[in-house]
mmCIF file of all heavy atoms in Angstrom:
data_model
loop_
_atom_site.group_PDB
_atom_site.id
_atom_site.type_symbol
_atom_site.label_atom_id
_atom_site.label_comp_id
_atom_site.label_asym_id
_atom_site.label_seq_id
_atom_site.Cartn_x
_atom_site.Cartn_y
_atom_site.Cartn_z
ATOM 1 N N ALA T 77 122.748 111.613 143.042
ATOM 2 C CA ALA T 77 123.521 111.627 144.301
ATOM 3 C C ALA T 77 125.013 111.471 143.949
ATOM 4 O O ALA T 77 125.409 110.791 143.035
ATOM 5 C CB ALA T 77 123.099 110.456 145.183
ATOM 6 N N GLN T 78 125.781 112.191 144.765
ATOM 7 C CA GLN T 78 127.267 112.086 144.693
ATOM 8 C C GLN T 78 127.854 111.834 146.013
ATOM 9 O O GLN T 78 127.421 112.433 147.039
ATOM 10 C CB GLN T 78 127.828 113.424 144.102
ATOM 11 C CG GLN T 78 127.463 113.670 142.653
ATOM 12 C CD GLN T 78 128.162 114.869 142.083
ATOM 13 O OE1 GLN T 78 128.521 115.791 142.785
ATOM 14 N NE2 GLN T 78 128.381 114.899 140.752
ATOM 15 N N LEU T 79 128.794 110.968 146.081
ATOM 16 C CA LEU T 79 129.472 110.565 147.302
ATOM 17 C C LEU T 79 130.965 110.732 147.193
ATOM 18 O O LEU T 79 131.534 110.425 146.168
ATOM 19 C CB LEU T 79 129.169 109.088 147.635
ATOM 20 C CG LEU T 79 127.688 108.645 147.710
ATOM 21 C CD1 LEU T 79 127.616 107.188 147.978
ATOM 22 C CD2 LEU T 79 126.952 109.448 148.722
ATOM 23 N N VAL T 80 131.564 111.291 148.236
ATOM 24 C CA VAL T 80 133.020 111.502 148.227
ATOM 25 C C VAL T 80 133.583 110.956 149.479
ATOM 26 O O VAL T 80 133.214 111.395 150.610
ATOM 27 C CB VAL T 80 133.323 112.999 148.086
ATOM 28 C CG1 VAL T 80 134.847 113.215 148.124
ATOM 29 C CG2 VAL T 80 132.753 113.639 146.815
ATOM 30 N N GLU T 81 134.514 110.000 149.333
ATOM 31 C CA GLU T 81 135.155 109.354 150.503
ATOM 32 C C GLU T 81 136.502 110.094 150.783
ATOM 33 O O GLU T 81 137.134 110.676 149.884
ATOM 34 C CB GLU T 81 135.474 107.911 150.263
ATOM 35 C CG GLU T 81 134.277 107.040 150.002
ATOM 36 C CD GLU T 81 134.127 106.657 148.568
ATOM 37 O OE1 GLU T 81 134.682 107.395 147.718
ATOM 38 O OE2 GLU T 81 133.516 105.625 148.245
ATOM 39 N N SER T 82 136.901 109.966 152.056
ATOM 40 C CA SER T 82 138.237 110.459 152.446
ATOM 41 C C SER T 82 138.684 109.686 153.620
ATOM 42 O O SER T 82 137.884 108.977 154.279
ATOM 43 C CB SER T 82 138.159 111.944 152.779
ATOM 44 O OG SER T 82 137.264 112.186 153.818
ATOM 45 N N GLY T 83 139.991 109.840 153.975
ATOM 46 C CA GLY T 83 140.479 109.263 155.199
ATOM 47 C C GLY T 83 141.358 108.015 155.061
ATOM 48 O O GLY T 83 141.922 107.522 156.030
ATOM 49 N N GLY T 84 141.481 107.529 153.820
ATOM 50 C CA GLY T 84 142.347 106.362 153.644
ATOM 51 C C GLY T 84 143.809 106.732 153.744
ATOM 52 O O GLY T 84 144.196 107.896 153.883
ATOM 53 N N GLY T 85 144.671 105.717 153.658
ATOM 54 C CA GLY T 85 146.101 105.972 153.698
ATOM 55 C C GLY T 85 146.899 104.730 153.942
ATOM 56 O O GLY T 85 146.334 103.628 153.987
ATOM 57 N N LEU T 86 148.132 104.917 154.196
ATOM 58 C CA LEU T 86 149.090 103.819 154.540
ATOM 59 C C LEU T 86 149.243 103.833 156.022
ATOM 60 O O LEU T 86 149.706 104.835 156.606
ATOM 61 C CB LEU T 86 150.434 104.022 153.788
ATOM 62 C CG LEU T 86 151.532 103.032 154.160
ATOM 63 C CD1 LEU T 86 151.143 101.624 153.783
ATOM 64 C CD2 LEU T 86 152.856 103.448 153.459
ATOM 65 N N VAL T 87 148.946 102.717 156.645
ATOM 66 C CA VAL T 87 149.085 102.574 158.089
ATOM 67 C C VAL T 87 149.748 101.291 158.454
ATOM 68 O O VAL T 87 149.955 100.417 157.570
ATOM 69 C CB VAL T 87 147.704 102.611 158.793
ATOM 70 C CG1 VAL T 87 147.016 103.977 158.533
ATOM 71 C CG2 VAL T 87 146.817 101.511 158.311
ATOM 72 N N GLN T 88 150.104 101.132 159.711
ATOM 73 C CA GLN T 88 150.746 99.905 160.160
ATOM 74 C C GLN T 88 149.704 98.987 160.844
ATOM 75 O O GLN T 88 148.675 99.467 161.317
ATOM 76 C CB GLN T 88 151.849 100.251 161.138
ATOM 77 C CG GLN T 88 153.042 100.984 160.490
ATOM 78 C CD GLN T 88 154.224 101.114 161.411
ATOM 79 O OE1 GLN T 88 154.052 101.085 162.655
ATOM 80 N NE2 GLN T 88 155.391 101.308 160.873
ATOM 81 N N SER T 89 150.025 97.761 160.875
ATOM 82 C CA SER T 89 149.190 96.764 161.506
ATOM 83 C C SER T 89 148.921 97.193 162.969
ATOM 84 O O SER T 89 149.850 97.545 163.666
ATOM 85 C CB SER T 89 149.817 95.406 161.465
ATOM 86 O OG SER T 89 149.002 94.448 162.006
ATOM 87 N N GLY T 90 147.625 97.137 163.392
ATOM 88 C CA GLY T 90 147.275 97.552 164.717
ATOM 89 C C GLY T 90 146.827 98.985 164.871
ATOM 90 O O GLY T 90 146.189 99.367 165.843
ATOM 91 N N ASP T 91 147.053 99.806 163.818
ATOM 92 C CA ASP T 91 146.615 101.178 163.855
ATOM 93 C C ASP T 91 145.075 101.291 163.635
ATOM 94 O O ASP T 91 144.392 100.249 163.347
ATOM 95 C CB ASP T 91 147.273 101.976 162.715
ATOM 96 C CG ASP T 91 148.723 102.294 163.059
ATOM 97 O OD1 ASP T 91 149.144 102.082 164.209
ATOM 98 O OD2 ASP T 91 149.459 102.770 162.131
ATOM 99 N N SER T 92 144.594 102.509 163.785
ATOM 100 C CA SER T 92 143.173 102.778 163.552
ATOM 101 C C SER T 92 143.057 103.829 162.496
ATOM 102 O O SER T 92 143.937 104.667 162.287
ATOM 103 C CB SER T 92 142.463 103.257 164.805
ATOM 104 O OG SER T 92 142.500 102.238 165.817
ATOM 105 N N LEU T 93 141.912 103.822 161.791
ATOM 106 C CA LEU T 93 141.595 104.804 160.750
ATOM 107 C C LEU T 93 140.132 105.151 160.849
ATOM 108 O O LEU T 93 139.345 104.336 161.253
ATOM 109 C CB LEU T 93 141.876 104.273 159.369
ATOM 110 C CG LEU T 93 143.196 104.438 158.669
ATOM 111 C CD1 LEU T 93 143.139 103.856 157.287
ATOM 112 C CD2 LEU T 93 143.620 105.908 158.611
ATOM 113 N N ARG T 94 139.800 106.372 160.434
ATOM 114 C CA ARG T 94 138.402 106.762 160.298
ATOM 115 C C ARG T 94 138.209 107.239 158.917
ATOM 116 O O ARG T 94 138.786 108.236 158.486
ATOM 117 C CB ARG T 94 137.930 107.839 161.322
ATOM 118 C CG ARG T 94 136.445 107.978 161.277
ATOM 119 C CD ARG T 94 135.922 108.939 162.289
ATOM 120 N NE ARG T 94 136.153 110.359 161.941
ATOM 121 C CZ ARG T 94 135.447 111.394 162.414
ATOM 122 N NH1 ARG T 94 134.508 111.168 163.295
ATOM 123 N NH2 ARG T 94 135.723 112.641 162.002
ATOM 124 N N LEU T 95 137.346 106.543 158.172
ATOM 125 C CA LEU T 95 136.996 106.948 156.849
ATOM 126 C C LEU T 95 135.711 107.795 156.884
ATOM 127 O O LEU T 95 134.868 107.547 157.753
ATOM 128 C CB LEU T 95 136.778 105.757 155.928
ATOM 129 C CG LEU T 95 137.869 104.688 155.880
ATOM 130 C CD1 LEU T 95 137.515 103.539 154.971
ATOM 131 C CD2 LEU T 95 139.225 105.330 155.511
ATOM 132 N N ALA T 96 135.590 108.734 155.972
ATOM 133 C CA ALA T 96 134.401 109.558 155.915
ATOM 134 C C ALA T 96 133.804 109.557 154.513
ATOM 135 O O ALA T 96 134.584 109.423 153.537
ATOM 136 C CB ALA T 96 134.708 110.995 156.355
ATOM 137 N N CYS T 97 132.539 109.711 154.440
ATOM 138 C CA CYS T 97 131.891 109.767 153.115
ATOM 139 C C CYS T 97 130.765 110.815 153.204
ATOM 140 O O CYS T 97 129.851 110.729 154.018
ATOM 141 C CB CYS T 97 131.245 108.409 152.815
ATOM 142 S SG CYS T 97 130.183 108.386 151.360
ATOM 143 N N THR T 98 130.914 111.846 152.372
ATOM 144 C CA THR T 98 129.962 112.913 152.377
ATOM 145 C C THR T 98 129.095 112.822 151.102
ATOM 146 O O THR T 98 129.602 112.686 150.013
ATOM 147 C CB THR T 98 130.663 114.285 152.419
ATOM 148 O OG1 THR T 98 131.462 114.338 153.603
ATOM 149 C CG2 THR T 98 129.667 115.415 152.430
ATOM 150 N N ALA T 99 127.775 112.907 151.309
ATOM 151 C CA ALA T 99 126.843 112.774 150.191
ATOM 152 C C ALA T 99 126.161 114.089 149.863
ATOM 153 O O ALA T 99 125.978 114.960 150.732
ATOM 154 C CB ALA T 99 125.768 111.745 150.649
ATOM 155 N N SER T 100 125.769 114.217 148.642
ATOM 156 C CA SER T 100 125.017 115.348 148.157
ATOM 157 C C SER T 100 124.053 114.903 147.066
ATOM 158 O O SER T 100 124.238 113.829 146.502
ATOM 159 C CB SER T 100 125.956 116.449 147.614
ATOM 160 O OG SER T 100 126.659 115.970 146.525
ATOM 161 N N GLY T 101 123.039 115.699 146.829
ATOM 162 C CA GLY T 101 122.127 115.402 145.735
ATOM 163 C C GLY T 101 120.941 114.510 146.081
ATOM 164 O O GLY T 101 120.098 114.194 145.217
ATOM 165 N N ARG T 102 120.839 114.083 147.320
ATOM 166 C CA ARG T 102 119.749 113.230 147.769
ATOM 167 C C ARG T 102 119.509 113.488 149.246
ATOM 168 O O ARG T 102 120.456 113.791 149.972
ATOM 169 C CB ARG T 102 120.064 111.752 147.517
ATOM 170 C CG ARG T 102 118.893 110.850 147.529
ATOM 171 C CD ARG T 102 119.236 109.394 147.206
ATOM 172 N NE ARG T 102 119.670 109.155 145.856
ATOM 173 C CZ ARG T 102 120.077 107.972 145.382
ATOM 174 N NH1 ARG T 102 120.045 106.890 146.203
ATOM 175 N NH2 ARG T 102 120.382 107.853 144.120
ATOM 176 N N THR T 103 118.225 113.332 149.689
ATOM 177 C CA THR T 103 117.954 113.511 151.131
ATOM 178 C C THR T 103 118.615 112.426 151.901
ATOM 179 O O THR T 103 118.080 111.303 151.981
ATOM 180 C CB THR T 103 116.425 113.571 151.355
ATOM 181 O OG1 THR T 103 115.863 114.524 150.502
ATOM 182 C CG2 THR T 103 116.176 113.945 152.831
ATOM 183 N N PHE T 104 119.755 112.730 152.431
ATOM 184 C CA PHE T 104 120.648 111.723 152.983
ATOM 185 C C PHE T 104 120.018 110.797 154.013
ATOM 186 O O PHE T 104 120.117 109.582 153.968
ATOM 187 C CB PHE T 104 121.805 112.543 153.649
ATOM 188 C CG PHE T 104 122.834 111.714 154.322
ATOM 189 C CD1 PHE T 104 123.768 111.062 153.575
ATOM 190 C CD2 PHE T 104 122.844 111.619 155.722
ATOM 191 C CE1 PHE T 104 124.764 110.324 154.212
ATOM 192 C CE2 PHE T 104 123.843 110.880 156.341
ATOM 193 C CZ PHE T 104 124.830 110.225 155.576
ATOM 194 N N ASN T 105 119.230 111.351 154.947
ATOM 195 C CA ASN T 105 118.783 110.552 156.069
ATOM 196 C C ASN T 105 117.588 109.686 155.765
ATOM 197 O O ASN T 105 117.022 109.037 156.640
ATOM 198 C CB ASN T 105 118.499 111.428 157.324
ATOM 199 C CG ASN T 105 117.596 112.590 157.028
ATOM 200 O OD1 ASN T 105 117.504 112.978 155.913
ATOM 201 N ND2 ASN T 105 116.978 113.107 158.069
ATOM 202 N N ASN T 106 117.139 109.689 154.509
ATOM 203 C CA ASN T 106 116.050 108.802 154.118
ATOM 204 C C ASN T 106 116.482 107.501 153.541
ATOM 205 O O ASN T 106 115.666 106.685 153.121
ATOM 206 C CB ASN T 106 115.152 109.524 153.040
ATOM 207 C CG ASN T 106 114.466 110.751 153.576
ATOM 208 O OD1 ASN T 106 114.361 110.906 154.766
ATOM 209 N ND2 ASN T 106 114.033 111.632 152.680
ATOM 210 N N TYR T 107 117.831 107.337 153.453
ATOM 211 C CA TYR T 107 118.363 106.159 152.797
ATOM 212 C C TYR T 107 119.360 105.392 153.667
ATOM 213 O O TYR T 107 120.045 106.000 154.481
ATOM 214 C CB TYR T 107 119.174 106.598 151.558
ATOM 215 C CG TYR T 107 118.315 107.207 150.427
ATOM 216 C CD1 TYR T 107 117.903 108.510 150.528
ATOM 217 C CD2 TYR T 107 117.903 106.439 149.378
ATOM 218 C CE1 TYR T 107 117.110 109.085 149.509
ATOM 219 C CE2 TYR T 107 117.114 106.963 148.342
ATOM 220 C CZ TYR T 107 116.742 108.295 148.473
ATOM 221 O OH TYR T 107 115.953 108.826 147.451
ATOM 222 N N ALA T 108 119.379 104.073 153.524
ATOM 223 C CA ALA T 108 120.412 103.291 154.133
ATOM 224 C C ALA T 108 121.725 103.567 153.442
ATOM 225 O O ALA T 108 121.768 103.894 152.248
ATOM 226 C CB ALA T 108 120.130 101.818 154.005
ATOM 227 N N MET T 109 122.802 103.450 154.177
ATOM 228 C CA MET T 109 124.154 103.625 153.619
ATOM 229 C C MET T 109 125.028 102.449 154.015
ATOM 230 O O MET T 109 124.776 101.828 155.072
ATOM 231 C CB MET T 109 124.790 104.920 154.073
ATOM 232 C CG MET T 109 124.075 106.189 153.519
ATOM 233 S SD MET T 109 125.122 107.613 153.580
ATOM 234 C CE MET T 109 126.304 107.257 152.290
ATOM 235 N N ALA T 110 126.029 102.202 153.228
ATOM 236 C CA ALA T 110 126.890 101.052 153.509
ATOM 237 C C ALA T 110 128.293 101.313 153.071
ATOM 238 O O ALA T 110 128.559 102.208 152.234
ATOM 239 C CB ALA T 110 126.343 99.770 152.820
ATOM 240 N N TRP T 111 129.247 100.601 153.654
ATOM 241 C CA TRP T 111 130.620 100.568 153.224
ATOM 242 C C TRP T 111 130.904 99.210 152.658
ATOM 243 O O TRP T 111 130.537 98.178 153.247
ATOM 244 C CB TRP T 111 131.557 100.841 154.393
ATOM 245 C CG TRP T 111 131.554 102.271 154.845
ATOM 246 C CD1 TRP T 111 130.873 102.829 155.855
ATOM 247 C CD2 TRP T 111 132.400 103.316 154.344
ATOM 248 N NE1 TRP T 111 131.130 104.187 155.939
ATOM 249 C CE2 TRP T 111 132.121 104.489 155.084
ATOM 250 C CE3 TRP T 111 133.410 103.377 153.317
ATOM 251 C CZ2 TRP T 111 132.751 105.713 154.828
ATOM 252 C CZ3 TRP T 111 134.047 104.593 153.116
ATOM 253 C CH2 TRP T 111 133.708 105.767 153.842
ATOM 254 N N PHE T 112 131.610 99.171 151.547
ATOM 255 C CA PHE T 112 132.083 97.979 150.846
ATOM 256 C C PHE T 112 133.591 98.138 150.723
ATOM 257 O O PHE T 112 134.121 99.259 150.783
ATOM 258 C CB PHE T 112 131.444 97.789 149.486
ATOM 259 C CG PHE T 112 129.979 97.447 149.550
ATOM 260 C CD1 PHE T 112 129.029 98.477 149.741
ATOM 261 C CD2 PHE T 112 129.520 96.189 149.347
ATOM 262 C CE1 PHE T 112 127.670 98.194 149.791
ATOM 263 C CE2 PHE T 112 128.141 95.896 149.363
ATOM 264 C CZ PHE T 112 127.243 96.904 149.597
ATOM 265 N N ARG T 113 134.258 97.033 150.419
ATOM 266 C CA ARG T 113 135.667 97.153 150.108
ATOM 267 C C ARG T 113 136.000 96.120 149.055
ATOM 268 O O ARG T 113 135.312 95.102 148.863
ATOM 269 C CB ARG T 113 136.532 96.880 151.352
ATOM 270 C CG ARG T 113 136.510 95.488 151.921
ATOM 271 C CD ARG T 113 137.361 95.397 153.140
ATOM 272 N NE ARG T 113 137.400 94.042 153.657
ATOM 273 C CZ ARG T 113 138.028 93.712 154.802
ATOM 274 N NH1 ARG T 113 138.590 94.634 155.559
ATOM 275 N NH2 ARG T 113 137.988 92.460 155.231
ATOM 276 N N GLN T 114 137.018 96.408 148.320
ATOM 277 C CA GLN T 114 137.514 95.518 147.280
ATOM 278 C C GLN T 114 139.006 95.470 147.237
ATOM 279 O O GLN T 114 139.716 96.439 147.078
ATOM 280 C CB GLN T 114 137.010 95.928 145.892
ATOM 281 C CG GLN T 114 137.276 94.933 144.804
ATOM 282 C CD GLN T 114 136.453 95.219 143.516
ATOM 283 O OE1 GLN T 114 135.945 96.365 143.343
ATOM 284 N NE2 GLN T 114 136.322 94.243 142.692
ATOM 285 N N ALA T 115 139.527 94.258 147.510
ATOM 286 C CA ALA T 115 140.952 94.039 147.492
ATOM 287 C C ALA T 115 141.364 93.544 146.077
ATOM 288 O O ALA T 115 140.505 93.034 145.326
ATOM 289 C CB ALA T 115 141.342 92.940 148.509
ATOM 290 N N PRO T 116 142.612 93.681 145.752
ATOM 291 C CA PRO T 116 143.054 93.250 144.395
ATOM 292 C C PRO T 116 142.758 91.805 144.124
ATOM 293 O O PRO T 116 143.053 90.915 144.960
ATOM 294 C CB PRO T 116 144.593 93.506 144.456
ATOM 295 C CG PRO T 116 144.756 94.566 145.454
ATOM 296 C CD PRO T 116 143.741 94.303 146.503
ATOM 297 N N GLY T 117 142.118 91.574 142.995
ATOM 298 C CA GLY T 117 141.809 90.229 142.592
ATOM 299 C C GLY T 117 140.612 89.567 143.297
ATOM 300 O O GLY T 117 140.338 88.404 143.069
ATOM 301 N N LYS T 118 139.943 90.347 144.087
ATOM 302 C CA LYS T 118 138.797 89.838 144.871
ATOM 303 C C LYS T 118 137.509 90.616 144.544
ATOM 304 O O LYS T 118 137.564 91.739 144.000
ATOM 305 C CB LYS T 118 139.071 89.888 146.389
ATOM 306 C CG LYS T 118 140.203 89.002 146.815
ATOM 307 C CD LYS T 118 140.282 89.002 148.328
ATOM 308 C CE LYS T 118 141.411 88.043 148.819
ATOM 309 N NZ LYS T 118 141.479 87.966 150.292
ATOM 310 N N GLU T 119 136.387 89.999 144.839
ATOM 311 C CA GLU T 119 135.103 90.693 144.601
ATOM 312 C C GLU T 119 134.876 91.767 145.689
ATOM 313 O O GLU T 119 135.408 91.664 146.809
ATOM 314 C CB GLU T 119 133.990 89.677 144.604
ATOM 315 C CG GLU T 119 133.997 88.706 143.408
ATOM 316 C CD GLU T 119 132.783 87.854 143.335
ATOM 317 O OE1 GLU T 119 131.928 87.957 144.235
ATOM 318 O OE2 GLU T 119 132.704 87.038 142.394
ATOM 319 N N ARG T 120 134.059 92.708 145.331
ATOM 320 C CA ARG T 120 133.661 93.690 146.270
ATOM 321 C C ARG T 120 132.829 93.044 147.402
ATOM 322 O O ARG T 120 131.914 92.272 147.091
ATOM 323 C CB ARG T 120 132.872 94.814 145.597
ATOM 324 C CG ARG T 120 132.587 96.034 146.439
ATOM 325 C CD ARG T 120 132.084 97.198 145.603
ATOM 326 N NE ARG T 120 133.030 97.640 144.558
ATOM 327 C CZ ARG T 120 132.910 98.703 143.830
ATOM 328 N NH1 ARG T 120 131.856 99.487 144.024
ATOM 329 N NH2 ARG T 120 133.805 99.008 142.959
ATOM 330 N N GLU T 121 133.148 93.399 148.655
ATOM 331 C CA GLU T 121 132.416 92.752 149.729
ATOM 332 C C GLU T 121 131.821 93.829 150.701
ATOM 333 O O GLU T 121 132.430 94.897 150.909
ATOM 334 C CB GLU T 121 133.323 91.781 150.533
ATOM 335 C CG GLU T 121 134.434 92.476 151.266
ATOM 336 C CD GLU T 121 135.193 91.467 152.149
ATOM 337 O OE1 GLU T 121 134.769 90.312 152.349
ATOM 338 O OE2 GLU T 121 136.278 91.910 152.713
ATOM 339 N N PHE T 122 130.686 93.467 151.259
ATOM 340 C CA PHE T 122 130.039 94.363 152.237
ATOM 341 C C PHE T 122 130.875 94.330 153.547
ATOM 342 O O PHE T 122 131.345 93.276 153.974
ATOM 343 C CB PHE T 122 128.629 93.826 152.504
ATOM 344 C CG PHE T 122 127.948 94.507 153.656
ATOM 345 C CD1 PHE T 122 127.239 95.714 153.457
ATOM 346 C CD2 PHE T 122 127.946 93.969 154.928
ATOM 347 C CE1 PHE T 122 126.626 96.336 154.526
ATOM 348 C CE2 PHE T 122 127.324 94.565 155.948
ATOM 349 C CZ PHE T 122 126.642 95.748 155.750
ATOM 350 N N VAL T 123 130.965 95.472 154.162
ATOM 351 C CA VAL T 123 131.753 95.630 155.379
ATOM 352 C C VAL T 123 130.804 96.047 156.548
ATOM 353 O O VAL T 123 130.842 95.413 157.596
ATOM 354 C CB VAL T 123 132.891 96.607 155.242
ATOM 355 C CG1 VAL T 123 133.571 96.869 156.581
ATOM 356 C CG2 VAL T 123 133.924 96.098 154.233
ATOM 357 N N ALA T 124 130.082 97.095 156.323
ATOM 358 C CA ALA T 124 129.227 97.674 157.404
ATOM 359 C C ALA T 124 128.163 98.508 156.751
ATOM 360 O O ALA T 124 128.331 99.078 155.687
ATOM 361 C CB ALA T 124 130.059 98.517 158.353
#
């Protein structure tokens, strides 16, 4: 499976963003998917 994210950037406090992740190489709708994030100096954490 390969995943490609897009949609990040530099925004101001209070703004909104939509991130996208497109998958290939696996039957997509048979699997759970998740978003994680990692800030500098911190562990990766589950988001949604």
Side-chain angles (χ1 to χ4, degrees):
Q78 292 187 333
L79 306 178
V80 178
E81 300 104 335
S82 62
L86 174 62
V87 297
Q88 294 187 338
S89 183
D91 285 351
S92 297
L93 268 183
R94 189 177 78 159
L95 308 181
C97 171
T98 301
S100 61
R102 197 180 289 180
T103 306
F104 178 78
N105 54 337
N106 296 341
Y107 293 81
M109 292 200 71
W111 287 93
F112 293 78
R113 68 183 182 184
Q114 189 165 18
K118 295 187 177 181
E119 293 188 357
R120 190 168 298 190
E121 66 173 352
F122 172 85
V123 173

